[in-house]
Amino acid sequence: MTLILASGSPTRLQLLRSAGVPVTAEAPRLDEAAIRASLAAEDATPRDMADTLAEMKALRVATRHPQAVVLGADQVLDIDGEALGKPADRGELRAQLHRLRGRRHRLHSAVVIVADGVAQWRLVGEARLTMRDLSDAWIEAYLDRNPDLGGSVGGYLLEGEGLRLFAAVDGDYFTILGLPLLPLLGYLEQRGLLP
């Protein structure tokens, strides 16, 4: 059985391959901003947004590969019930970091597996992170040293210097990276999809 990751995330793909999962990847080509806006207009929670986007990604790729098992994933940052997405530019990234500093927020990382055109399994992992109360100068220097953070929800990469942003982290490391890997591996083994 072919397993396809419906994501353009190199981090998610690397996590799966490092765990010995035989997987390929294909970007689903969805207008995520429009979907998020629609879900927000319907008062969807950040958790439900992550779950819905993960499912939509998996279903989109599954239509092109009906014989495959497709894994969709998405992550949404939740601050006081408001969903934040990937920043569009450095100004938006700066604003997100200013908003998060000194505060606690949640990351919802959803994974949905689609087979035979139907969602067969889903999980939304949650992590809670408390950012240090960073000065404006520290944030500017951080942005100067890390110019490629725009593809990261919240503007940080915990696997790099982004770890220095935090005073406390509660939750699974893989969930923070965008894929609740341990329960996913358990499901794949149970289904006989891993060697």
Side-chain angles (χ1 to χ4, degrees), residues 27 56 117 119 178:
M56 292 180 79

Side-chain angles (χ1 to χ4, degrees), residues 6 9-10 18 26 39 52 76 80 93 103 117 145 150 152 169 179-180 190 193:
S9 166
S18 293
E26 183 175 319
L39 290 168
T52 300
V76 174
D80 301 328
L93 176 54
R103 298 182 64 191
R145 290 188 305 273
S152 168
V169 175
L179 190 66
Q190 179 186 9
L193 295 170

Side-chain angles (χ1 to χ4, degrees), residues 14-157:
Q14 185 58 44
L15 287 173
L16 290 165
R17 287 185 173 161
S18 293
V21 178
V23 63
T24 60
E26 183 175 319
R29 295 183 293 238
L30 291 175
D31 185 348
E32 290 186 46
I35 294 167
R36 283 175 188 259
S38 175
L39 290 168
E42 296 173 9
D43 294 324
T45 65
R47 182 198 179 283
D48 290 343
M49 283 184 187
D51 183 53
T52 300
L53 283 162
E55 182 173 5
M56 292 180 79
K57 289 175 181 181
L59 288 169
R60 173 63 58 94
V61 172
T63 61
R64 295 191 294 263
H65 304 278
Q67 303 304 315
V69 173
V70 181
L71 188 160
D74 197 75
Q75 185 177 62
V76 174
L77 189 150
D78 175 350
I79 183 160
D80 301 328
E82 181 184 344
L84 296 184
K86 294 175 184 170
D89 55 33
R90 182 177 168 126
E92 193 173 308
L93 176 54
R94 179 186 302 107
Q96 281 189 5
L97 289 171
H98 281 246
R99 184 169 178 198
L100 294 171
R101 68 181 168 187
R103 298 182 64 191
R104 187 173 173 100
H105 65 276
R106 298 182 211 184
L107 285 176
H108 302 285
S109 293
V111 60
V112 175
I113 292 185
V114 168
D116 300 319
V118 178
Q120 305 280 326
W121 182 83
R122 65 187 344 112
L123 181 103
V124 180
E126 180 183 296
R128 292 185 168 111
L129 299 92
T130 304
M131 194 171 280
R132 293 178 27 226
D133 193 9
L134 307 163
S135 70
D136 291 353
W138 198 98
I139 290 173
E140 284 306 313
Y142 172 73
L143 293 174
D144 289 341
R145 290 188 305 273
N146 298 279
D148 299 323
L149 294 174
S152 168
V153 170
Y156 52 82
L157 296 172

